[in-house]
Amino acid sequence: MASQRTLRRSVSCAGIGLHSGKKVTLTLKPAPANSGIRFRRTDLGGVEIAATVQHIAGIHYATGLARNEGSVETVEHLLAALAGLGIDNVVVELNHPEVPIMDGSAAPFVYLIQEAGIRTQQESRRFLRITRPIEMVRGDKHIAVYPADEFKVSYSISFDHPLLRHQARAMSITESAFAEEIAPARTFTFLKEVELLRQHGYALGGSLENAVVVGEAGVLNSALRFEDEFVRHKILDVIGDMALLGAPLLGHLVAHRGGHGLHTAFAAMILDERGAWELAEAQAVPALHEPAAVPLGAAIPVGR
Ligand SMILES: [Zn+2]
């Protein structure tokens, strides 16, 4: 049985909002068991917004949340880092409506969490365990989740561009796999879309410092962090969006050509399909070929 986890102490960082281009300070604070992930706007007198499906708002180029007069934008990379490192309870203080974009990946948030340290809490964690398949199709995009004893993601993308016509990756999302293989993957955008975004007042803080920009002839940045950095970032995004379920997912998520709109609509659909999942404390379901149980009191040999 797994225990809930929070941070050992508070930690802060500063950065800029991707869309506003303005400076923002973010502080992660330890929080009591069963309180979940909550954003707190210190510039609005401490308005709180829980990171749940109920508060999803404004899915354009990033995932936003809103409750009454408060809102927070671009939450997905921070939520991915918290989910990827198994943090159940935390308060995220912001003095601005946007989570700082940092380098466009979740790696700076992983460092921040590791810097704070992780504290195990008394209460046991409850997983959202998928018991029956759930599927969603929207045109040429689809997303589904199937029963599995672990959290696994299979993602594929395809674009009408020679550099990333097709990329696919499947992996089990353990803490170390997330930190090493997924968190460093940066967000990406196409050069031809950048001007359009700016005309609409988005991406004012965007630069080669916080996004991979794909031009006609290649990537404008000096180098990619992984050959398939694009699909890895999609896995990062979907992990962050699934954190809005409010409980760690136990299931195999399969997505093709998704984005924040599809991910978050699917998270809401999962919660609506009450017959297709259960909240379970135990992580493991008996495996098909489980070894015979060791009788209580039996001597267990210790290797020397
Ligand atoms: Zn992203």
Side-chain angles (χ1 to χ4, degrees):
M1 211 174 297
S3 295
Q4 293 183 33
R5 308 206 297 179
T6 186
L7 302 181
R8 209 170 269 284
R9 65 180 183 91
S10 298
V11 273
S12 296
C13 70
I16 59 163
L18 172 63
H19 293 309
S20 65
K22 298 226 168 85
K23 192 184 166 195
V24 46
T25 301
L26 172 145
T27 304
L28 302 178
K29 296 185 158 181
N34 301 315
S35 62
I37 298 166
R38 286 175 299 143
F39 288 89
R40 183 184 290 156
R41 288 278 303 275
T42 56
D43 57 326
L44 291 181
V47 170
E48 288 197 351
I49 306 151
T52 60
V53 164
Q54 289 75 20
H55 297 132
I56 293 171
I59 309 298
H60 293 293
Y61 302 100
T63 299
L65 304 171
R67 174 172 165 263
N68 302 330
E69 69 274 37
S71 66
V72 282
E73 300 292 329
T74 324
V75 297
E76 63 272 16
H77 302 162
L78 173 62
L79 290 182
L82 291 167
L85 296 191
I87 306 297
D88 302 277
N89 307 298
V90 69
V91 170
V92 182
E93 283 191 351
L94 291 168
N95 63 348
H96 182 79
E98 267 188 278
V99 174
I101 189 67
M102 309 311 286
D103 68 351
S105 80
F109 300 127
V110 167
Y111 299 143
L112 201 62
I113 293 164
Q114 288 171 341
E115 175 71 22
I118 295 172
R119 184 162 65 80
T120 301
Q121 298 173 293
Q122 296 286 328
E123 289 77 356
S124 56
R125 172 186 286 159
R126 292 203 298 173
F127 294 85
L128 194 154
R129 189 156 72 81
I130 301 297
T131 53
R132 288 212 308 261
I134 308 173
E135 294 167 341
M136 176 182 266
V137 178
R138 283 190 175 176
D140 60 356
K141 306 168 192 296
H142 61 81
I143 186 165
V145 66
Y146 303 97
D149 296 347
E150 55 177 354
F151 180 33
K152 192 176 170 192
V153 178
S154 299
Y155 214 113
S156 56
I157 55 174
S158 54
F159 291 94
D160 184 20
H161 191 287
L163 247 187
L164 57 162
R165 220 175 275 299
H166 186 77
Q167 281 188 0
R169 187 169 192 88
M171 59 188 292
S172 299
I173 311 299
T174 61
E175 274 175 55
S176 60
F178 176 80
E180 288 156 30
E181 309 278 328
I182 297 299
R186 293 162 296 173
T187 194
F188 60 95
T189 184
F190 294 92
L191 185 59
K192 59 186 178 189
E193 285 177 359
V194 173
E195 272 313 303
L196 196 67
L197 280 166
R198 295 208 167 159
Q199 281 167 19
H200 290 85
Y202 289 103
L204 299 177
S207 74
L208 293 178
E209 302 292 306
N210 54 37
V212 175
V213 180
V214 186
E216 288 304 313
V219 167
L220 274 62
N221 310 63
S222 52
L224 289 174
R225 291 178 177 174
F226 304 98
E227 199 182 345
D228 61 349
E229 187 167 358
F230 307 101
V231 73
R232 289 179 193 238
H233 187 80
K234 283 295 190 177
I235 294 176
L236 192 167
D237 277 341
V238 83
I239 291 170
D241 288 334
M242 288 303 138
L244 298 171
L245 290 169
L249 189 61
L250 271 190
H252 181 189
L253 192 79
V254 180
H256 177 63
R257 304 196 72 176
H260 295 300
L262 187 76
H263 299 163
T264 54
F266 189 60
M269 182 182 177
I270 291 174
L271 291 185
D272 284 343
E273 298 272 337
R274 286 168 193 267
W277 52 268
E278 62 187 14
L279 284 174
E281 285 190 359
Q283 179 155 354
V285 197
L288 285 177
H289 305 290
E290 198 173 38
V294 178
L296 279 176
I300 298 170
V302 179
R304 297 214 54 136

